[in-house]
Amino acid sequence: MRRTWFAILSAALALPLAAQSEVSVRPWAHADSDVPVHARVQFGHLANGMRYAWVENREPDERCYLRLHVDVGSLAETDAERGMAHFVEHMAFNGTRRFAAGELVDWFQAHGMDFGADTNAYTAHSETVYQIDLPETDAESVGEALLVLREFADGILFEEDQVEAEKGVIDAEERETDSAAYRMIRANNARRLAGTRFPVRDPIGVKPARDAFTAASLRAFYQRWYRPESTTLVLVGDLDGLDPTELITEHFADWHGEGEWSTAPPIGEPTMAQRSYSIYEDELPYYVAVVARLAPRRPVPVRKKVLIDELRLTCARAMLNLRLAELAKSADAAFLQAMVEGRGRPGAPTFRPPVFVGEALTVVASPSRWREALQQCDRELRRALEFGFRQAELDEIRSELARGLQEVLDREATRPSASLAGELAVAAEQAVVPVDAKTRRDLMLPALQAFTTDECHEALVESWARGELFVFGGGNLDLGEDAGGTLLEAYREGRATELEAPADIETKALDLALDGEPAEVVEQSHAEAVDAHVAVFGNGVRVVIKRTDFAQRQIVVRAYLGEGELAMEPDRCGLGLVASGVFDRAGLGSHSEDELRRALAGKLAGVGFSVAEDACVLSGSTTREDLALQCRLMCAYLVDPGWRAEAMQQFRKGLPEYYESLSRSFEGPFQMQFTPQLYGGDCRFGLAPREVVEGVSMDDVQAWLEPELASAPLSVCFVGDLDVEVVLETARDAFGRLPTRRPLERHEARRRVKGPRPGLEKRYVIDTDDKRATVIAVYPTNDGMELSRRVRHDLLGRVLGDRLLEAIREALGASYSPGAGAESSLVFPGVGRLTVFAQAEPNEVDALIAACGVVTDRLAEEGVTEEELLRLREPVMAQLRDERRANGFWAYVLLEHLHGREAALVEAVREVDAYQEVTAAELSELAADVLAAERRSLFVASPQER
């Protein structure tokens, strides 16, 4: 059916091909570089000046990623056009020659793609990018996607009624983007970037200008800037031998602009008049201070020498950042975190306005300790500039960077297409040369191996000597009328202190020895449905191994230990959160976290730890070469945990700022007050109050976890590019030496939960300048322990979210990103919820609640249509297919199967069929049951009137 529609539409509406002489083509950065461009990328252009780049890339299979990059953003706008580039991008989805308003949303969903805020397009200062992630790669499907992109290029209609309706949508987007951090960024840009167009050309624009937009003015901007000479098409995917050049030519060769092609006006020259200032933003819980040496950025061709010089600076910065990270853990550290970085470096993509080049030290601190923090971190910078670096520091960084270069090369064959498409889209806009992994390694590795500590030191000294000094900051700190002077005075005061050379680093040999003989394999089986091998050792440790080809030379290792939060009393609020934050930071008994980092440099091994509802999770990623090390390291955390006080100290240091930020947003009352009430006061749901979390000690964590580490049931999963027999023996040699594990406990009494309850309604007032109110409606559902039930809940949430998007965003323009989703517990019987989320102006709260109620009531009364189900199920199918091409997915499923939820394996195999089997009638029945108005609980948070 789709083939017939596409063939008829293409033939009937094909535009006549006009004769045209070839025009000038914008050069890529690699045209003026001695760095070899990625050999697999096919570059070309059409006679009309449009560029294209495509790559056949097979991971994931049957996927194709298309990007239409238009070289226009907010910097091209006049004062009267502020926000117009972004507005044009919105209008691309509100009616084109071939698609009436709203039909493109249906097209995306019917082709297995989600549609939502910033999912399918985005606009920045200097670019607009349209995105299609196609789940099929045959010539017809690629042709359809190109047809849609051509519609964006020159087929937007700009119907007057659609223009007027979209103004409310963009007003809502501006409102929902606003935050304390966003306000500080804009205030900072107004000072630091003064003299350029950036501070007065934010992509969202300004409401007075947007209100004056008309269909005619938008169309004029569109025709002026959307031209083939300004456009680059990127296509990357599993093309199965298809050369898309002919299709690209067919769909774009007859496109040409009107009149003379012009480029965006110059961005302007920074005045650099305000080089010391401080911005007071009382809703930010922290203070950020920056010391920088900056000069106006000038275009620099990408050369091998430039990249190697930057690599030398990267080494120097990395060594200094390690010192700052270690200092942050000390008892007398006045700062929360700090780092040095290069700004606007040549040859590297930048996500900041490309105005300056130079070096910067950024310090984040509590407002009460800003002065001490600034001076402390600047002292470390001065120490590096004066005394240089130690050989052990360079050895560590060199090992890590060399491993990274080799790792990227090893995985080049399975690099995800989306990543490569993103790199080419960046290269379409910036002075970046796409380079294949072998070229990069062959260029960088010899230079990296030859660097000396003196060379890295000299590079850092020279870079920090260039440009002008900037000292600025912002956050919850009022430094008075002469804020900049006060900040500069504190900086100069710190500079007057004497320095001592850094102490030598004591290296310590890695000790991960395990006692005893490894237990034998006592059980073995093979799960044929998913080709996974299961083994049980004599000590009770269970292991599952699955070989995949998704990511070359990657082995995901994950372990489930014990029963997680179920293993603690339900009133132990905050214990799981604290344990997740401190356990791995505390290192081992034989090695601190920093000692481990140094000893593991150049190796791909590490352990992350978290506490989930029904298991403690240890995770890592490794290779065949480092697999034994990874296994020994995970076992070391079980038998020799560090329990260091410094880990708790570091965790607690950031709590005041974290909880302060929550108090200024809807997340605070929603997580700490509303959610626990929703679940009958059960503190396992929501977030424990600050005083409760701060009251948890390392002794508490140790007292709970120590018995779990020693004897709790342990399931370990290995998924990736592996040899099954080698992995089994390697796992046995490590995990087989652990003490005997006890049986898994169900903790049935702790699984019995009240809620979520219906009929709860709470309204909260937030002390914030954000001009938006938040409405969250919660409808109780059921658990997800039956696959068919979980699938129906998910699809109902998708249908509801789609209707909200259409009714609340597109029709009313009241909320930019309303949505809905279902959560179905796999741990707590009977527990699930369907949640509606929307935001609006504070004076429109009741109207928004009513509008959401109309949508839910209508869905409950009228049910789900067959068309909705078919259209919204397609993105799920694409998502399920993508998930199954990820090692992490199988690690999760296999562990769930081993660790108490045996149905997980069957569900993973049947999940696609389960979604296909759902009927519209079943969803309609579920909607009538779940969405009854009396079952709703309502949360509202509004800003305090000022």
Side-chain angles (χ1 to χ4, degrees):
M1 189 69 183
R2 186 159 56 83
R3 178 180 295 275
T4 303
W5 170 86
F6 174 67
I8 293 173
L9 186 62
S10 295
L13 297 179
L15 297 176
L17 181 63
Q20 184 182 8
S21 59
E22 188 160 338
V23 300
S24 61
V25 179
R26 288 182 298 138
W28 296 81
H30 64 261
D32 186 26
S33 175
D34 62 352
V35 178
V37 72
H38 199 305
R40 288 199 297 127
V41 181
Q42 307 298 311
F43 293 94
H45 66 272
L46 303 179
N48 59 13
M50 190 186 93
R51 305 183 304 178
Y52 60 84
W54 65 273
V55 186
E56 178 155 8
N57 195 67
R58 297 189 180 278
E59 188 60 44
D61 60 353
E62 298 183 28
R63 270 284 202 175
C64 187
Y65 298 81
L66 298 96
R67 305 290 182 261
L68 188 72
H69 180 282
V70 187
D71 191 31
V72 63
S74 56
L75 292 176
E77 299 161 354
T78 65
D79 286 345
E81 295 171 337
R82 292 174 66 181
M84 194 167 278
H86 175 247
F87 206 112
V88 166
E89 174 230 303
H90 273 241
M91 293 306 299
F93 301 93
N94 287 301
T96 68
R97 282 187 303 257
R98 292 169 168 84
F99 297 92
E103 287 185 1
L104 267 174
V105 177
D106 294 348
W107 183 89
F108 273 91
Q109 293 170 334
H111 285 71
M113 291 170 275
D114 285 324
F115 184 86
D118 306 318
T119 302
N120 314 101
Y122 65 86
T123 303
H125 285 95
S126 57
E127 63 181 346
T128 304
V129 180
Y130 297 90
Q131 308 177 139
I132 295 180
D133 297 349
L134 198 63
E136 298 164 324
T137 57
D138 58 280
E140 182 182 347
S141 299
V142 173
E144 279 194 66
L146 292 172
L147 175 71
V148 171
L149 292 177
R150 174 62 190 272
E151 290 295 284
F152 295 154
D154 73 334
I156 305 176
L157 293 181
F158 300 104
E159 296 169 322
E160 199 68 61
D161 61 333
Q162 295 296 323
V163 170
E164 291 305 311
E166 200 64 21
K167 290 177 181 179
V169 174
I170 297 179
D171 288 346
E173 180 180 358
E174 181 178 34
R175 181 173 60 245
E176 293 178 27
T177 302
D178 187 33
S179 67
Y182 181 65
R183 291 191 293 271
M184 191 176 79
I185 289 171
R186 295 191 66 172
N188 180 42
N189 286 345
R191 293 163 173 80
R192 189 170 53 91
L193 305 180
T196 73
R197 294 171 65 83
F198 283 96
V200 292
R201 288 296 182 272
D202 197 74
I204 197 72
V206 292
K207 182 172 170 53
R210 293 196 305 266
D211 286 345
F213 291 171
T214 64
S217 64
L218 287 163
R219 190 176 299 111
F221 182 91
Y222 177 61
Q223 292 173 345
R224 183 163 73 251
W225 295 109
Y226 277 58
R227 301 175 55 101
E229 304 96 323
S230 304
T231 303
T232 304
L233 176 71
V234 171
L235 191 156
V236 182
D238 179 20
L239 299 174
D240 195 24
L242 172 69
D243 183 339
T245 303
E246 186 175 336
L247 287 170
I248 295 170
T249 303
E250 175 187 342
H251 286 280
F252 287 94
D254 59 352
W255 173 35
H256 35 118
E258 300 176 7
E260 291 294 320
W261 172 43
S262 59
T263 56
I267 65 172
E269 191 74 9
T271 64
M272 302 174 71
Q274 293 191 63
R275 299 203 299 273
S276 183
Y277 55 86
S278 184
I279 300 161
Y280 177 42
E281 176 52 69
D282 68 343
E283 290 188 39
L284 290 177
Y286 47 77
Y287 187 75
V288 179
V290 179
V291 176
R293 283 279 181 178
L294 302 174
R297 190 172 186 260
R298 303 288 181 245
V300 176
V302 182
R303 297 279 191 266
K304 293 178 181 178
K305 182 181 183 305
V306 169
L307 297 181
I308 290 172
D309 288 345
E310 182 59 24
L311 180 62
R312 189 180 294 107
L313 272 170
T314 296
C315 289
R317 295 187 200 110
M319 288 186 279
L320 179 50
N321 282 332
L322 285 182
R323 292 185 186 181
L324 291 168
E326 291 188 12
L327 179 60
K329 300 172 187 176
S330 65
D332 60 347
F335 60 100
L336 300 174
Q337 58 185 11
M339 69 176 297
V340 291
E341 59 182 332
R343 298 285 177 92
R345 308 310 302 185
T350 178
F351 303 100
R352 290 188 175 92
V355 175
F356 291 108
V357 63
E359 302 288 333
L361 165 66
T362 302
V363 181
V364 182
S366 167
S368 63
R369 302 191 70 183
W370 72 271
R371 183 183 296 266
E372 184 184 357
L374 171 63
Q375 294 174 354
Q376 199 172 56
C377 295
D378 184 60
R379 194 155 52 242
E380 284 307 305
L381 169 60
R382 289 169 52 215
R383 202 186 316 275
L385 293 173
E386 182 170 338
F387 297 106
F389 300 103
R390 298 158 290 193
Q391 188 62 43
E393 293 174 308
L394 180 57
D395 290 344
E396 178 181 349
I397 294 303
R398 180 161 34 216
S399 296
E400 284 295 287
L401 291 175
R403 180 189 60 77
L405 289 169
Q406 186 62 45
E407 185 180 341
V408 172
L409 175 59
D410 291 341
R411 297 182 183 174
E412 177 88 344
T414 52
R415 180 182 181 183
S417 293
S419 168
L420 188 48
E423 181 180 357
L424 291 174
V426 169
E429 172 68 20
Q430 301 186 31
V432 175
V433 176
V435 178
D436 63 77
K438 184 178 185 305
T439 298
R440 185 178 298 279
R441 190 212 50 185
D442 290 350
L443 173 63
M444 298 295 191
L445 189 58
L448 179 63
Q449 291 172 335
F451 290 159
T452 67
T453 55
D454 287 344
E455 288 173 341
C456 294
H457 177 217
E458 289 167 8
L460 193 69
V461 170
E462 289 174 6
S463 194
W464 272 93
R466 302 189 194 108
E468 299 293 333
L469 175 68
F470 282 71
V471 183
F472 57 91
N476 189 9
L477 177 68
D478 187 355
L479 292 178
E481 293 184 6
D482 187 22
T486 302
L487 192 60
L488 192 58
E489 177 189 9
Y491 166 76
R492 288 171 175 161
E493 178 184 272
R495 286 254 146 175
T497 59
E498 293 286 334
L499 291 177
E500 294 182 358
D504 289 337
I505 295 176
E506 294 183 13
T507 58
K508 190 174 182 181
L510 189 62
D511 178 14
L512 301 178
L514 294 169
D515 296 332
E517 292 296 317
E520 297 297 325
V521 176
V522 296
E523 292 181 30
Q524 273 190 282
S525 61
H526 180 240
E528 293 187 9
V530 295
D531 191 21
H533 301 262
V534 181
V536 181
F537 302 147
N539 60 355
V541 174
R542 308 177 77 190
V543 171
V544 60
I545 306 166
K546 178 176 173 59
R547 188 179 188 281
T548 70
D549 60 359
F550 312 146
Q552 197 169 8
R553 291 181 56 78
Q554 180 195 60
I555 302 175
V556 169
V557 186
R558 194 164 296 166
Y560 277 9
L561 173 75
E563 300 86 15
E565 291 186 344
L566 288 174
M568 66 178 74
E569 293 297 329
D571 62 353
R572 296 301 306 273
C573 302
L575 181 55
L577 172 67
V578 176
S580 297
V582 303
F583 178 77
D584 48 345
R585 287 183 182 180
L588 302 174
S590 56
H591 297 282
S592 70
E593 184 183 31
D594 293 324
E595 289 170 345
L596 269 178
R597 189 202 70 238
R598 284 191 283 268
L600 295 171
K603 305 293 185 182
L604 190 56
V607 176
F609 178 85
S610 62
V611 180
E613 290 176 332
D614 59 346
C616 295
V617 184
L618 294 94
S619 57
S621 179
T622 189
T623 62
R624 294 188 183 201
E625 291 79 6
D626 293 330
L627 177 63
L629 176 62
Q630 176 68 37
C631 291
R632 292 260 169 164
L633 184 62
M634 294 180 84
C635 290
Y637 274 99
L638 298 176
V639 300
D640 184 33
W643 311 122
R644 284 179 173 79
E646 66 188 40
M648 183 65 74
Q649 174 187 303
Q650 185 75 359
F651 175 78
R652 286 178 177 170
K653 189 185 292 185
L655 288 178
E657 286 72 26
Y658 173 67
Y659 276 92
E660 174 63 21
S661 67
L662 286 178
S663 73
R664 298 298 193 100
S665 69
F666 79 88
E667 287 97 338
F670 182 76
Q671 292 187 45
M672 289 187 284
Q673 299 173 53
F674 183 80
T675 299
Q677 292 180 58
L678 194 66
Y679 289 87
D682 193 326
C683 71
R684 291 175 294 179
F685 297 87
L687 177 67
R690 173 183 165 185
E691 61 274 12
V692 172
V693 174
E694 289 182 329
V696 177
S697 67
M698 185 62 86
D699 288 343
D700 295 328
V701 174
Q702 183 174 357
W704 171 58
L705 271 182
E706 207 160 41
E708 298 292 300
L709 301 173
S711 63
L714 180 66
S715 303
V716 189
C717 183
F718 301 84
V719 181
D721 183 8
L722 51 78
D723 180 292
V724 173
E725 292 301 322
V726 170
V727 170
L728 179 59
E729 186 55 35
T730 303
R732 188 180 76 87
D733 188 54
F735 295 100
R737 298 176 189 268
L738 295 175
T740 301
R741 320 314 289 182
R742 63 170 170 79
L744 190 73
E745 297 182 23
R746 287 288 302 168
H747 295 292
E748 295 292 351
R750 293 176 186 172
R751 291 175 185 265
R752 290 195 286 272
V753 172
K754 297 178 181 178
R757 62 188 256 199
L760 177 67
E761 182 170 340
K762 296 289 182 180
R763 297 187 180 230
Y764 302 88
V765 176
I766 311 298
D767 183 14
T768 178
D769 285 331
D770 294 354
K771 302 299 188 294
R772 62 180 182 272
T774 300
V775 171
I776 300 176
V778 178
Y779 296 84
T781 59
N782 206 331
D783 61 65
M785 296 178 191
E786 291 182 11
L787 176 62
S788 59
R789 185 165 62 211
R790 184 166 76 245
V791 163
R792 290 197 299 272
H793 290 159
D794 178 57
L795 284 172
L796 179 60
R798 291 173 185 267
V799 171
L800 180 54
D802 186 67
R803 290 198 181 186
L804 287 165
L805 187 68
E806 181 178 357
I808 307 300
R809 174 183 171 177
E810 299 300 337
L812 296 181
S815 182
Y816 177 62
S817 53
E823 300 173 56
S824 304
S825 179
L826 298 174
V827 176
F828 302 106
V831 173
R833 69 189 192 189
L834 196 156
T835 304
V836 172
F837 176 90
Q839 295 184 318
E841 290 190 22
N843 60 2
E844 295 179 351
V845 163
D846 291 331
L848 179 62
I849 294 171
C852 291
V854 168
V855 174
T856 53
D857 290 347
R858 184 169 297 167
L859 181 55
E861 294 167 7
E862 300 175 1
V864 177
T865 68
E866 190 70 24
E867 181 276 333
E868 280 179 306
L869 173 59
L870 294 176
R871 172 169 50 85
L872 295 172
R873 187 161 53 196
E874 284 305 311
V876 183
M877 296 296 101
Q879 178 185 334
L880 292 176
R881 192 179 73 187
D882 285 353
E883 283 179 350
R884 282 152 178 75
R885 296 289 298 175
N887 289 328
F889 169 82
W890 289 108
Y892 167 77
V893 167
L894 292 168
L895 280 176
E896 288 284 295
H897 169 70
L898 274 190
H899 208 74
R901 202 169 68 83
E902 296 182 1
L905 211 58
V906 175
E907 291 173 358
V909 175
R910 282 213 68 254
E911 193 171 19
V912 172
D913 291 338
Y915 273 97
Q916 295 283 15
E917 291 164 1
V918 175
T919 67
E922 289 174 329
L923 290 185
S924 298
E925 182 180 352
L926 181 63
D929 178 48
V930 168
L931 296 176
E934 65 273 11
R935 302 184 75 253
R936 181 186 72 184
S937 286
L938 188 65
F939 167 92
V940 179
S942 301
Q944 189 174 47
E945 293 185 11
R946 303 205 178 202

